[in-house]
Amino acid sequence: MATKKIEARGYIFQVAVGGGPTWTPVLGLKTFSVNPGDHDAHTEATDFDSNGQYEEVVLQRGGSLKLEGTRRIDQATGLADPGQAALDALAQGLADSSVGQIRFRYRTEVQWRVWPVTAKSGELGGGTNDLGKWSMEIHRTGAETLTAAP
């Protein structure tokens, strides 16, 4: 089977909104980075029976995702892009309101990676000749699941 290089702009990110949930795209993205090993916890398991060979086990798995792009505003309503707004709200939540869901995949992949997540707002800003910046840091909080892409 032949493989090909893929462009980063081919990735799709959606956030769950409401109890359904309704999956809402996060628009305005320019860059992203996924770190599937973030927050892993490895514990040494070497003992006398290891015969001098290092051993370890993983007792915790984690993951993080950083999204960066331009702030998007609806000109008619003055409201933020619904995907950005949902993540902004999640980043302000406490206790149960601080946990949501995000899913992502490359456009031709047949499965979504679905993460239960918490979010932390990143920088907003820009200079005289810049578009307004928006960013979000997302941490997986539970197991990743895979679901079929429609």
Side-chain angles (χ1 to χ4, degrees), residues 8-103:
R9 69 176 172 260
Y11 276 85
I12 304 163
F13 296 89
Q14 297 179 343
V15 61
V17 176
T22 299
W23 290 100
T24 304
V26 181
L27 300 180
L29 298 178
K30 291 183 131 194
T31 65
F32 73 92
S33 60
V34 178
N35 183 347
D38 199 16
H39 304 293
D40 284 1
H42 301 251
T43 299
E44 183 182 350
T46 309
D47 58 23
F48 291 163
D49 300 319
S50 302
N51 295 319
Q53 300 300 311
Y54 175 81
E55 295 179 7
E56 75 175 20
V57 294
V58 179
L59 296 177
Q60 173 180 298
R61 295 283 184 195
S64 65
L65 168 64
K66 184 160 186 168
L67 302 175
E68 294 181 346
T70 54
R71 185 71 170 163
R72 301 286 296 260
I73 301 287
D74 183 307
Q75 293 298 311
T77 66
L79 298 174
D81 163 69
Q84 289 183 0
L87 287 172
D88 290 341
L90 185 62
Q92 297 303 310
L94 297 171
D96 289 345
S97 298
S98 71
V99 180
Q101 284 187 307
I102 195 163
R103 70 183 186 178

Side-chain angles (χ1 to χ4, degrees), residues 90-135:
L90 185 62
Q92 297 303 310
L94 297 171
D96 289 345
S97 298
S98 71
V99 180
Q101 284 187 307
I102 195 163
R103 70 183 186 178
F104 58 97
R105 67 181 175 92
Y106 184 70
R107 63 182 159 80
T108 60
E109 288 182 308
V110 297
Q111 290 183 318
W112 290 100
R113 294 181 178 278
V114 182
W115 286 7
V117 296
T118 60
K120 178 181 173 186
S121 294
E123 294 180 2
L124 297 174
T128 302
N129 293 317
D130 297 334
L131 295 175
K133 179 181 177 180
W134 176 88
S135 63

